[in-house]
C-alpha cells in the first residue's frame, strides 16, 4: 500500500470516518477486496456516495487512462467484498453485494458524481476516452 493510501486510511479510522485530506470529508469508504491474481487482502480508500442504503464508487483513478486495480479485484472476487463507511456513530463495516452499473443506468449514476463535484468531469480530459466503471456496494442482509 502506498504512503498516501496509508495516510488516508489512518485518518479515516482515527476520525470516525471523516477525512480532511484531499477534501473527502465523510465521503470516503474503505473498500476491502481480494487481489484479482494474488487472492491477498487489499484495502482501497475511495470516494463513495451514499445512495439508497448503498454506496456508489467510481473507477476514475484520478483521470488515468488505466483502470484501477481495485476494479479488477471486484470483478474477480465479487463475493469477497466489504466496506468500512462512516456511520451516525463512528465507522461500520459491512460485507457487501457488488453490482456493476450497466450502460442503461450509467448516465444516471455518473450524474450523481458530477453533481457532487466537477472534478470527475475534469478527469475525463486525461482518461483518453476510458469510460469509468461505477459499482453499487449494497450491504448484505
Amino acid at each position: 500500500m502506498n504512503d498516501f493510501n496509508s495516510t488516508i486510511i489512518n485518518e479515516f479510522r482515527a476520525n470516525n470516518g471523516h477525512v480532511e485530506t484531499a477534501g473527502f470529508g465523510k465521503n470516503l469508504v474503505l473498500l476491502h477486496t481480494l487481489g484479482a491474481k494474488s487472492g491477498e487482502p487489499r484495502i482501497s480508500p475511495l470516494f463513495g456516495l451514499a445512495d439508497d442504503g448503498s454506496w456508489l464508487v467510481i473507477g476514475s483513478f484520478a483521470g488515468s487512462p488505466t483502470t484501477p486495480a481495485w476494479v479488477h479485484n471486484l470483478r474477480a472476487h465479487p463475493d469477497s467484498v466489504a466496506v468500512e463507511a462512516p456511520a451516525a456513530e463512528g465507522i461500520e463495516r459491512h460485507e457487501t453485494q457488488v453490482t456493476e452499473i450497466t450502460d442503461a443506468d450509467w448516465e444516471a449514476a455518473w450524474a450523481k458524481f458530477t453533481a457532487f463535484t466537477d472534478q470527475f468531469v475534469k478527469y475525463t480530459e486525461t482518461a483518453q476516452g476510458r469510460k469509468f466503471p461505477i459499482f453499487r456496494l449494497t450491504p448484505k442482509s
Side-chain angles (χ1 to χ4, degrees):
M1 181 178 336
N2 68 39
D3 287 341
F4 180 76
N5 283 356
S6 293
T7 298
I8 296 291
I9 290 167
N10 291 338
E11 185 177 349
F12 177 89
R13 289 178 172 157
N15 296 307
N16 290 319
H18 185 86
V19 178
E20 286 297 321
T21 303
F24 284 110
K26 288 276 190 179
N27 289 59
L28 186 98
V29 297
L30 301 184
L31 179 70
H32 294 256
T33 61
L34 296 178
K37 293 179 184 175
S38 70
E40 293 294 317
R42 304 282 186 240
I43 301 174
S44 302
L46 302 174
F47 178 83
L49 286 177
D51 188 63
D52 287 334
S54 298
W55 299 274
L56 295 175
V57 292
I58 187 167
S60 63
F61 209 9
S64 171
T66 305
T67 300
W70 66 261
V71 169
H72 302 294
N73 298 347
L74 281 182
R75 289 174 176 159
H77 304 287
D79 296 326
S80 301
V81 177
V83 170
E84 285 180 74
E89 298 286 328
I91 299 168
E92 292 181 351
R93 181 183 166 118
H94 302 275
E95 301 300 316
T96 61
Q97 176 183 342
V98 176
T99 306
E100 187 163 359
I101 302 298
T102 62
D103 287 341
D105 297 322
W106 190 90
E107 286 294 332
W110 171 247
K112 291 177 183 185
F113 284 93
T114 59
F116 190 84
T117 176
D118 65 352
Q119 188 63 46
F120 289 103
V121 174
K122 292 177 185 172
Y123 287 164
T124 64
E125 297 168 8
T126 56
Q128 299 178 357
R130 181 172 71 85
K131 184 177 180 180
F132 304 139
I134 301 174
F135 296 86
R136 178 175 299 281
L137 308 172
T138 305
K140 292 180 180 176
S141 303

